[in-house]
RNA sequence: UGCCUGAUGGUGUAACGGUAGCACAACUGUUUUUGGUGCAGUUUGUCUUGGUUCGAAUCCAGGUCGGGCAACCA
């Protein structure tokens, strides 16, 4: 505990604010728009905002930024709450920007009364035109000079529903020549007749992000409002609103959003994958959504660990997917129950085993001395992996082949004597001798073996289905890849595989996380049933043999 | 050709004028009844040019390159 971990730039700011007495305690917020499911990028923001509060003894609000009814839905609100909870965080208050609609309307009226806002009858295209370009200043229009009384009346009529959608907007009167495009008389309110998931049809005018977010922060007395880099140009407007309204001064700070190799991270694109059927659903285990990762078998611990490791800074970044996988493996290695499952089987017959069958014992987790053992039935007919036998073994092959010996995990050492092929030349059966004095834990045989194989007794095997997932995309950096991101989808991102499992798997608690020996980490799928067990591959084990083979 | 940002190994992230460190990735070796895990080690870096200083990744000036900004989205 003596090692001082260095602080990121936001932690430094908070440390100073607390030390100087600017704040007695801090209040942060996580402000998603309920228009999609949360993804790993949101996890970074959640861990940051809730983590900051926890670290400095403050609190965090969960606030839904629900100012655009056309895109939002209660389904998303529910999923967001579930995901934040699952990640292990508790919010102080559950807030909605829509709860502030009355207050926001009053703020707008105040701005009009100060001569700082006006109703504009121009079309969207005209307004865009009049805003100019980053290198050319905008031009005003006649509406900019309307009287306060007229603006007040017009805005009241907008609210009362006297105008059609898009007919009028309320704009702030700031500076049409500002080098910051966001300060060129930004829109504050638009008319939009859409059913809101919370306020129903009560309103036909809705505040824009820039008129809702900062004020919502202020209303809740948020001290540190942390968002991503693309909002930097909005900060001037954020501050302007707070200053003109004379309300609680929340402050905005920006950090770089998460990008990850082989992954798309925008809600728009993720929505597209779902709607066009490229994946099953938002919680498809290949999706980078929190719900997808949960279904795939990622643990909340490992995601939090990942967010901790990637750090917080202001420079653009792209994190290796392998770091996330490392975090998952590291946690799962410690907690996963070991089981044996054979996916691509060939029959192994032990010719001199005349005991019939016996019950062997295998440790549930070698990383956990208190993990206990389970019963594993053994007999003279077993399933082993096809790739664990080679007719003409190469030099570094440590598995089975004519004349070679291996250890069967938690069982005996066997020596291969012969094998059979079918008409097409495929290996069908391998015959071996076992060494009775080599039993696991009481081996006196002294036979040196280099390989240990997993196996399943054929007579006792339980059929299961494995979903073997691979990355959804085949290029590292999708953001800088030319063309449509869907052109880079990996056609082999899901392989459904029939497999044989040891019987203990069927009886185990369904909530357990498993490591199928030498295969990877697996987690029971939400569609799995007692009669048809389905497991999702969370992540493979590291495979140095596969690398060796590629050479 | 405007404004705002940023630049440290392959990828991230520290060093706050004083030994460029850590993690992942890659590669060795070692241990191992998982070709897993563990352990030990190796390789690879301060965008550039000047300046200030005893001393610069850090401060200053110029340049280069990356990202963002012209939605009635957030």
């Amino acid at each position: 505990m003596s090692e001082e971990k260095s602080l990121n730039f936001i932690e430094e700011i908070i440390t100073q604010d607390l030390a100087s007495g600017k704040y007695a305690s801090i209040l942060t917020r996580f402000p998603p728009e309920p228009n999609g499911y949360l993804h790993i990028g949101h996890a970074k923001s959640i861990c940051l905002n809730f983590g900051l509060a926890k670290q400095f003894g403050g609190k965090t609000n969960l606030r839904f930024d629900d100012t655009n009814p056309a895109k939002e839905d209660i389904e998303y609100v529910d999923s967001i709450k579930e995901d934040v909870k699952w990640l292990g965080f508790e919010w102080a208050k559950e807030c909605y920007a829509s709860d502030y609609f009355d207050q926001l309307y009053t703020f707008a009226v105040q701005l009009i009364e100060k001569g700082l806002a006006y109703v504009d009858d121009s079309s969207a295209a005209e307004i865009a035109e009049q805003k100019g370009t980053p290198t050319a200043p905008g031009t005003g229009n006649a509406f900019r000079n309307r009287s306060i009384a007229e603006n007040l009346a017009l805005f009241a009529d907008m609210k009362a529903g006297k105008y059609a959608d898009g007919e009028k907007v309320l704009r702030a009167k700031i500076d049409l020549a500002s080098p910051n495009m966001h300060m060129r008389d930004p829109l504050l309110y638009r008319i939009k007749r859409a059913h809101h998931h919370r306020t129903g049809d009560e309103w036909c005018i809705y505040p824009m992000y820039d008129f809702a977010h900062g004020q919502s922060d202020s209303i809740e007395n948020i001290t540190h409002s942390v968002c991503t880099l693309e909002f930097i140009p909005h900060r001037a407007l954020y501050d302007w609103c707070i200053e003109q309204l004379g309300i609680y001064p929340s402050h905005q700070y920006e950090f770089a959003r998460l990008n990850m190799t082989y992954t798309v991270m925008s809600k728009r694109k993720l929505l597209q994958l779902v709607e066009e059927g490229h994946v099953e659903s938002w919680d498809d285990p290949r999706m980078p959504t929190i719900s997808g990762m949960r279904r795939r078998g990622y643990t909340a611990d490992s995601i939090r660990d990942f967010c901790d490791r990637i750090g917080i800074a202001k420079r653009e970044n792209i994190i290796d997917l392998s770091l996330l996988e490392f975090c998952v493996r590291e946690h799962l290695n410690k907690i996963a129950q070991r089981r044996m499952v054979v996916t691509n089987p060939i029959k192994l017959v032990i010719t001199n085993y005349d005991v019939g069958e016996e019950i062997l014992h295998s440790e549930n987790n070698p990383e956990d001395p208190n993990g206990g053992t389970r019963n594993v039935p053994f007999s003279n007919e077993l399933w082993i992996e096809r790739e664990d036998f080679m007719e003409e073994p190469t030099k570094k092959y440590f598995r089975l082949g004519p004349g070679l010996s291996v250890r069967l995990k938690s069982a005996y050492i066997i020596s291969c004597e012969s094998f059979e092929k079918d008409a097409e030349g495929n290996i069908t059966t391998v015959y071996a001798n076992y060494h009775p004095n080599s039993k696991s834990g009481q081996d006196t045989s002294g036979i040196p073996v280099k390989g240990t194989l997993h196996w399943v007794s054929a007579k006792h095997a339980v059929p299961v289905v494995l979903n073997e997932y691979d990355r959804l995309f085949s290029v590292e950096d999708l953001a800088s890849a030319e063309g449509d991101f869907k052109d880079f989808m990996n056609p082999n991102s899901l392989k459904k595989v029939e497999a044989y499992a040891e019987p203990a798997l069927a009886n185990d608690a369904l909530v357990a996380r498993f490591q199928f020996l030498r295969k990877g980490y697996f987690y029971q799928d939400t569609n799995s049933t007692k009669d048809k067990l389905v497991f999702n591959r969370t992540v493979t084990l590291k495979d140095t043999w596969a690398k060796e083979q590629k050479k």
Side-chain angles (χ1 to χ4, degrees):
Chain A
M1 222 37 226
S2 57
E3 282 289 298
E4 193 90 357
K5 205 191 165 207
S6 60
L7 302 178
N8 65 48
F9 76 99
I10 297 175
E11 292 169 328
E12 284 187 358
I13 289 167
I14 293 175
T15 302
Q16 281 173 23
D17 287 347
L18 255 18
S20 71
K22 184 173 175 183
Y23 303 110
S25 66
I26 65 161
L27 217 207
T28 60
R29 104 267 95 113
F30 172 62
E33 180 188 13
N35 66 343
Y37 281 63
L38 261 25
H39 54 62
I40 183 74
H42 293 106
K44 177 179 182 181
S45 175
I46 291 167
C47 290
L48 209 216
N49 279 296
F50 285 90
L52 249 18
K54 190 174 250 176
Q55 182 181 351
F56 292 98
K59 289 179 175 173
T60 305
N61 287 350
L62 173 62
R63 182 170 71 237
F64 292 95
D65 225 336
D66 54 350
T67 57
N68 185 5
K71 289 187 178 176
E72 297 155 6
D73 196 276
I74 189 77
E75 172 198 351
Y76 299 126
V77 171
D78 293 339
S79 76
I80 288 167
K81 285 157 68 173
E82 185 187 354
D83 289 347
V84 173
K85 273 190 234 164
W86 179 76
L87 275 176
F89 298 105
E90 283 177 33
W91 49 88
K93 287 185 188 162
E94 179 181 328
C95 308
Y96 295 81
S98 55
D99 285 347
Y100 311 136
F101 281 172
D102 282 313
Q103 176 70 71
L104 260 13
Y105 179 82
T106 305
F107 284 152
V109 170
Q110 284 171 23
L111 247 31
I112 295 172
E113 285 168 342
K114 288 181 75 174
L116 294 171
Y118 62 97
V119 172
D120 192 330
D121 300 1
S122 308
S123 69
E126 285 165 343
I127 289 175
E129 168 88 41
Q130 292 160 4
K131 271 196 182 176
T133 68
T135 50
T139 55
N141 60 39
F143 304 114
R144 202 169 196 261
N145 302 318
R146 288 216 248 235
S147 70
I148 290 173
E150 189 184 3
N151 282 319
L152 247 17
L154 254 17
F155 188 51
D157 286 346
M158 278 172 63
K159 184 193 179 202
K162 291 196 179 172
Y163 307 109
D165 288 12
E167 199 177 329
K168 286 181 166 49
V169 294
L170 183 72
R171 297 177 71 178
K173 190 192 279 190
I174 306 179
D175 179 8
L176 284 163
S178 171
N180 182 347
M181 296 297 294
H182 292 275
M183 297 300 271
R184 322 247 267 223
D185 287 13
L187 269 67
L188 269 22
Y189 268 89
R190 79 284 211 185
I191 302 171
K192 180 171 259 176
R193 284 174 180 79
H195 190 80
H196 189 281
H197 61 97
R198 298 191 84 239
T199 60
D201 300 315
E202 186 185 343
W203 294 84
C204 66
I205 58 171
Y206 290 94
M208 300 294 291
Y209 166 85
D210 285 305
F211 197 67
H213 200 98
Q215 282 86 315
S216 298
D217 284 342
S218 179
I219 289 166
E220 294 171 22
N221 283 15
I222 300 296
T223 55
H224 302 264
S225 178
V226 182
C227 61
T228 47
L229 255 27
E230 64 269 30
F231 290 97
I232 289 177
H234 295 253
R235 191 174 59 227
L237 185 50
Y238 182 105
D239 292 339
W240 184 89
C241 288
I242 283 175
E243 194 188 332
Q244 297 306 327
L245 261 11
I247 54 180
Y248 181 85
S250 300
H251 290 281
Q252 174 181 305
Y253 304 91
E254 311 87 7
F255 69 98
R257 72 184 321 142
L258 169 67
N259 295 295
M260 213 160 47
T261 54
Y262 304 104
T263 309
V264 294
M265 205 74 86
S266 91
K267 275 196 213 170
R268 202 194 89 245
K269 289 178 180 168
L270 295 176
L271 178 65
Q272 212 176 327
L273 292 176
V274 175
E275 288 189 333
E276 295 177 9
H278 297 100
V279 295
E280 277 176 31
S281 54
W282 279 100
D283 72 342
D284 186 301
R286 292 166 292 181
M287 291 281 273
T289 51
I290 309 277
S291 51
M293 294 189 294
R294 176 170 60 231
R295 183 170 164 194
R296 182 157 171 167
Y298 283 51
T299 60
D301 283 61
S302 60
I303 293 172
R304 277 189 262 110
D305 180 36
F306 171 74
C307 292
D308 203 45
R309 286 169 185 265
I310 59 179
I312 299 295
K314 294 188 86 143
R315 78 184 83 116
E316 308 279 337
N317 60 78
I318 179 159
I319 309 279
D320 281 339
L321 181 59
S322 57
L323 179 61
L324 212 207
E325 294 181 338
F326 166 82
C327 294
V328 175
R329 286 193 190 102
E330 185 172 64
H331 187 216
L332 257 18
N333 178 49
K334 292 195 187 101
I335 65 165
Q337 294 278 305
R338 312 293 137 120
R339 294 293 182 270
M340 294 195 284
V341 175
V342 175
T343 59
N344 189 10
I346 50 173
K347 184 66 73 68
L348 170 68
V349 175
I350 301 174
T351 51
N352 64 336
Y353 185 79
D354 39 30
V355 181
E357 63 181 71
E358 67 183 301
I359 299 297
L360 301 175
H361 307 281
S362 190
E363 75 273 14
N364 286 322
N365 186 342
E367 305 294 314
D368 178 6
N370 302 316
T373 61
R374 67 187 186 285
N375 295 339
V376 188
F378 183 82
S379 66
N380 66 333
E381 288 201 8
L382 310 174
W383 295 117
I384 61 169
E385 298 284 346
R386 185 168 293 277
E387 63 175 26
D388 284 344
F389 179 84
M390 203 180 251
E391 192 178 340
E392 292 170 23
T394 54
K395 223 178 178 178
K396 287 182 178 171
Y397 192 72
F398 302 153
R399 307 177 186 182
L400 219 45
L404 296 182
S405 300
V406 295
R407 151 93 45 200
L408 293 176
K409 174 69 183 175
S410 299
Y412 302 92
I413 291 173
I414 58 166
S415 300
C416 176
E417 348 171 76
S418 60
F419 61 93
E420 274 175 11
K421 286 186 187 177
D422 63 15
E424 281 135 33
N426 299 312
I427 308 287
T428 53
T429 312
V430 174
Y431 295 94
N433 275 309
Y434 89 112
H435 302 275
N437 60 348
S438 67
K439 190 168 180 175
S440 200
Q442 33 195 289
D443 182 3
T444 57
S445 72
I447 302 170
V449 291
K450 278 191 164 168
T452 300
L453 309 186
H454 63 279
W455 51 273
V456 173
S457 171
K459 166 162 45 163
H460 305 90
V462 176
V464 298
V465 173
L466 268 31
N467 289 324
E468 296 187 340
Y469 295 110
D470 197 357
R471 48 183 63 129
L472 241 195
F473 295 93
S474 51
V475 296
E476 269 200 27
D477 188 356
L478 283 153
S480 53
E482 296 282 330
D484 185 358
F485 74 102
K486 292 195 276 1
D487 295 342
F488 302 108
M489 294 198 74
N490 173 8
N492 303 312
S493 59
L494 168 59
K495 258 174 39 192
K496 283 186 182 289
V497 180
E498 310 260 342
Y500 290 123
E502 60 170 288
L505 189 63
N507 308 325
D508 291 318
L510 301 182
V511 292
R513 292 165 196 283
F514 298 102
Q515 182 196 101
F516 295 164
L517 246 54
R518 304 206 296 144
K519 307 237 59 134
Y521 294 98
F522 287 80
Y523 187 58
Q524 194 175 38
D525 186 60
T526 44
N527 289 331
S528 178
T529 63
K530 229 178 181 172
D531 299 327
K532 194 188 176 192
L533 292 167
V534 180
F535 293 89
N536 296 330
R537 186 171 70 192
T538 310
V539 64
T540 60
L541 258 26
K542 264 171 77 176
D543 192 349
T544 49
W545 170 239
K547 279 182 196 164
E548 183 68 34
Q549 279 179 304
K550 276 183 193 165
K551 288 179 185 171

